Amino acid sequence: QVQLVESGGGSVQAGGSLVLSCTVSGFTDDRYCLGWFRQVPDNEDKAVAVVSFRGGSFYNPRYRDSVNGRFTISQGNAKNTVTLQMNNLRSDDSAMYVCATRRAASCSVDDGPGNYRAWGQGTRVTVSS
């Protein structure tokens, strides 16, 4: 059973930076997508960044246009950890950020939350202007 645990949220002023981490356990030898989803009340959950996983390595990051150039998803220093480096944060980046994963050969930020099978509890990001 895949489990995910996020950390690293908090409050920051506009223009600031935060780093979120997602630690995953339970991966098998299959291919996976791991996505960071942004949850805002009364809005559909959308992935802001996704990355593929196989054989112990994360690769092929993809980004939603609204965060491209500001956010970076990458493998963390710890095994099976993915980080989301968020720079130049804006007030509309405020949300609950949740990491999720699913078995898949390819990953897209346009894949909806219904395609994902395992979810973390989330970590809140608040950006004040």
Side-chain angles (χ1 to χ4, degrees), residues 18-83:
L18 283 173
V19 179
L20 308 183
S21 293
C22 176
T23 300
V24 186
S25 60
F27 274 169
T28 67
D29 291 336
D30 286 343
R31 297 180 183 180
Y32 294 84
C33 293
L34 187 143
W36 278 101
F37 279 79
R38 179 186 284 171
Q39 294 183 339
V40 179
D42 299 325
N43 284 275
E44 181 184 6
D45 297 351
K46 290 186 177 180
V48 295
V50 300
V51 68
S52 300
F53 175 87
R54 188 179 189 185
S57 295
F58 294 95
Y59 59 96
N60 197 23
R62 305 286 180 92
Y63 302 95
R64 188 162 297 278
D65 287 346
S66 61
V67 307
N68 197 21
R70 300 188 298 123
F71 289 13
T72 302
I73 186 171
S74 62
Q75 187 159 1
N77 292 328
K79 182 181 178 182
N80 282 6
T81 298
V82 171
T83 62

Side-chain angles (χ1 to χ4, degrees), residues 102-121:
R102 65 186 183 96
R103 285 186 172 89
S106 63
C107 310
S108 168
V109 290
D110 293 324
D111 294 331
N115 294 293
Y116 285 74
R117 293 293 175 261
W119 293 79
Q121 294 298 310

Side-chain angles (χ1 to χ4, degrees), residues 74-92:
S74 62
Q75 187 159 1
N77 292 328
K79 182 181 178 182
N80 282 6
T81 298
V82 171
T83 62
L84 185 68
Q85 172 75 47
M86 304 187 296
N87 297 329
N88 193 20
L89 283 160
R90 311 183 308 214
S91 57
D92 60 355

